[in-house]
């Protein structure tokens, strides 16, 4: 498994605003969108392309276009939905599949409550959107879900990660597939409730409000 932290002053600036507890939901949502577009620029560096012939107003040339099948973007509900706009701004021709995973706050394990994805993902480049890589359970279950359907090339875009979560996902994936995680910052640790420290709190609640 490969990991990449996007070290860029604009990412650091926007992430600091995002972490601030005084940042209201509307600003938080816009910042998530902007950050994902910046992360996605790097996360899509290996997206499959092919040559194509076009004619400019001046001359014929061979250009580049994205190959088929189109990439599959998979936001993990609920918080990953807040990342979708930022991703499709950059890759508007991607297909979108949904996975609903929620963590049990006592065991910290992930529970799948919804899915809307093709049964066959053979040959598809998949991009998972999940803002917080904390214990890693949600990401491990999501990656397994895609690998079981034939995906071999999976990139996860996260805003923040905890070292414990990165290690758990790395051990879980092993050499089963080419999995890459791109994130804006690697934080210090998890607290006893499984929250990333210093983190930004509950990403879903900050995007959409508290539900339970
Ligand atoms: N999920 C969140 O939303 N925040 C954390 O810190 C950990 C998991």
């Amino acid at each position: 498994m490969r990991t990449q932290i996007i070290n860029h002053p604009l990412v650091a600036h926007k992430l600091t605003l995002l972490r601030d507890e005084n940042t209201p939901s509307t600003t938080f949502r816009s910042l998530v969108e902007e950050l994902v577009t910046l992360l996605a620029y790097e996360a899509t560096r290996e997206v499959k392309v092919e040559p194509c012939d076009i004619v400019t107003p001046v001359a014929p040339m061979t250009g580049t276009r994205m190959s088929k099948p189109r990439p599959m973007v998979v936001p993990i509900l609920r918080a990953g939905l807040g990342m979708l706009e930022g991703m499709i701004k950059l890759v508007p021709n991607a297909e979108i599949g949904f996975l609903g995973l929620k963590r049990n706050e006592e065991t910290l394990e992930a529970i799948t409550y919804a899915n809307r994805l093709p049964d066959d993902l053979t040959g598809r480049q998949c991009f998972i959107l999940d803002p917080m890589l904390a214990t890693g359970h949600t990401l491990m279950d999501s990656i397994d879900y895609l690998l079981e359907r034939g995906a071999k090339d999976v990139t996860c875009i996260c805003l923040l990660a905890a070292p414990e979560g990165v290690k758990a996902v790395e051990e879980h994936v092993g050499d089963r597939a080419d999995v890459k995680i791109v994130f804006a910052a690697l934080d210090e640790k998890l607290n006893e409730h499984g929250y990333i420290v210093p983190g930004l709190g509950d990403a879903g609640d900050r995007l959409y409000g508290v539900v339970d």
Side-chain angles (χ1 to χ4, degrees):
M1 192 182 88
R2 296 177 286 157
T3 57
Q4 184 180 9
I5 303 176
I6 305 303
N7 194 356
H8 189 289
L10 284 180
V11 170
H13 171 80
K14 289 177 194 293
L15 190 58
T16 303
L17 295 172
L18 195 75
R19 290 179 188 274
D20 190 331
E21 64 177 359
N22 293 316
T23 298
S25 268
T26 43
T27 315
F28 191 91
R29 283 198 288 271
S30 309
L31 285 165
V32 167
E33 207 178 303
E34 291 164 21
L35 271 164
V36 172
T37 306
L38 293 172
L39 299 186
Y41 179 70
E42 213 34 67
T44 52
R45 186 167 285 285
E46 292 166 15
V47 77
K48 287 184 193 137
V49 290
E50 61 190 18
C52 69
D53 293 328
I54 59 156
V55 184
T56 78
V58 180
M61 67 165 279
T62 301
T64 301
R65 69 172 172 218
M66 283 170 65
S67 311
K68 290 196 172 138
R70 294 184 283 160
M72 174 67 66
V73 173
V74 186
I76 308 303
L77 307 179
R78 158 177 81 127
L81 208 50
M83 301 171 75
L84 185 58
E85 276 305 310
M87 181 72 186
I88 55 176
K89 217 171 238 171
L90 201 69
V91 198
N93 58 348
E95 275 184 29
I96 300 159
F98 296 92
L99 254 187
L101 281 104
K102 177 180 179 321
R103 76 173 178 171
N104 177 322
E105 293 298 339
E106 273 155 35
T107 63
L108 302 181
E109 305 256 312
I111 308 160
T112 307
Y113 65 87
N115 69 69
R116 195 82 182 134
L117 274 165
D119 285 337
D120 186 6
L121 294 171
T122 309
R124 302 294 290 259
Q125 283 185 302
C126 297
F127 293 88
I128 295 177
L129 308 179
D130 191 13
M132 309 296 276
L133 170 45
T135 60
H137 287 130
T138 307
L139 212 51
M140 290 190 269
D141 284 7
S142 312
I143 293 168
D144 284 350
Y145 198 97
L146 302 182
L147 299 190
E148 282 159 17
R149 279 156 186 76
K152 289 259 172 279
D153 180 343
V154 178
T155 301
C156 313
I157 304 180
C158 304
L159 297 176
L160 292 182
E164 297 91 324
V166 174
K167 184 164 176 279
V169 176
E170 192 156 27
E171 286 172 3
H172 182 77
V173 170
D175 55 10
R176 284 186 294 154
D178 183 15
V179 173
K180 183 176 178 190
I181 308 180
V182 173
F183 39 88
L186 182 64
D187 273 11
E188 196 187 317
K189 60 175 184 183
L190 290 181
N191 69 13
E192 63 280 17
H193 304 293
Y195 276 83
I196 298 177
V197 180
L200 51 75
D202 188 298
D205 289 352
R206 293 201 63 190
L207 281 162
Y208 302 119
V210 181
V211 282
D212 340 276

